[in-house]
């Protein structure tokens, strides 16, 4: 009796995150997606299925690839790109979050974030380190003209196109999102839905 998949990634580019910390659980990228293609798209290496994982680095103004951190494993709250030659069925769970939020450092410019939750998270529940010092501020405040800390629009990817998401929307599990920061800050991603 085969294991039922927790999630299935399609054979295409995927802009993804996971609700599990696979790196902390010792689950490799190859376990989730299959082995790295060291050939070309037209002539893939035998038995391979995936490209490198890649993550945008705002300070470097370029993508970093596995095994370079943060693309060295699948971490909570991080967004990634990967190209799969055939669908990948995820049958193993990693570590679930043990805190109510996951802090992710954002750098000036575009940043890739993930959804550390098994259920959708309302954009309005995102919070940020207060640039004035001490405590946190809401997404509404962080994206307002008063703070001008982050853009009021996040962007997801539906497999074909980018899709905009604003304060009335929800971040979906297993998806990743682009967020623009006008200054270095920390986003606190809720680990429970709502």
């Amino acid at each position: 009796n085969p294991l039922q998949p927790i999630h299935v990634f399609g054979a295409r580019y995927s802009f993804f995150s996971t609700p599990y910390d696979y790196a902390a659980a010792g689950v490799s990228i190859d376990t989730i997606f299959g082995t790295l293609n060291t050939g070309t798209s037209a002539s893939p290496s035998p038995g391979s299925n995936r490209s490198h994982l890649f993550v945008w680095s705002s300070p470097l103004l370029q993508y970093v690839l596995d095994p370079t951190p943060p693309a060295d494993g699948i971490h909570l709250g991080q967004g990634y790109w990967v190209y799969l030659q055939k669908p990948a069925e995820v049958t193993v769970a990693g570590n679930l979050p043990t805190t109510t939020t996951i802090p992710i450092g954002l750098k000036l410019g575009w940043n890739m974030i993930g959804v550390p939750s098994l259920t959708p998270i309302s954009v309005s529940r995102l919070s940020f380190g207060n640039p004035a010092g001490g405590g946190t501020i809401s997404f509404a405040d962080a994206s307002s003209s008063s703070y001008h800390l982050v853009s009021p629009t996040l962007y997801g990817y539906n497999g074909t196109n980018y899709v905009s998401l604003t304060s009335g929307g929800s971040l979906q599990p297993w998806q990743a999102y682009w967020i623009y920061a006008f200054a270095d800050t920390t986003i606190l991603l809720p680990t429970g839905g709502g």
Side-chain angles (χ1 to χ4, degrees), residues 16-188:
F16 78 95
S17 67
T18 72
Y20 302 105
D21 191 336
Y22 285 106
V27 178
S28 73
I29 299 166
D30 289 351
T31 299
I32 303 299
F33 294 116
T35 57
L36 176 66
N37 177 14
T38 55
T40 65
S41 298
S43 181
S45 51
S48 66
N49 189 45
R50 70 173 179 90
S51 69
H52 281 281
L53 289 190
F54 42 111
V55 175
W56 180 253
S57 170
S58 287
L60 299 177
L61 295 176
Q62 67 183 23
Y63 285 99
V64 294
L65 310 176
D66 65 275
T68 303
D72 57 334
I74 300 173
H75 305 277
L76 284 171
Q78 180 63 60
Y80 303 89
W81 282 105
V82 70
Y83 178 79
L84 300 176
Q85 296 165 307
K86 57 185 182 269
E89 293 185 349
V90 180
T91 57
V92 61
N95 294 350
L96 284 169
T98 57
T99 57
T100 57
T101 60
I102 300 294
I104 299 292
L106 302 181
K107 297 294 185 185
L108 169 66
W110 288 104
N111 296 267
M112 295 166 62
I113 61 168
V115 182
S117 173
L118 291 165
T119 55
I121 298 169
S122 172
V123 171
S124 64
R125 290 191 54 225
L126 300 177
S127 59
F128 299 83
N130 187 341
T136 60
I137 59 172
S138 67
F139 178 77
D141 285 342
S143 61
S144 73
S145 58
S146 298
Y147 285 96
H148 196 61
L149 192 56
V150 296
S151 170
T153 306
L154 288 79
Y155 295 92
Y157 186 72
N158 65 11
T160 309
N161 299 298
Y162 282 107
V163 179
S164 62
L165 186 65
T166 57
S167 61
S170 291
L171 303 172
Q172 299 301 314
W174 298 94
Q175 301 297 307
Y177 296 88
W178 287 104
I179 186 169
Y180 190 87
F182 294 104
D184 291 0
T185 188
T186 299
I187 186 171
L188 300 169

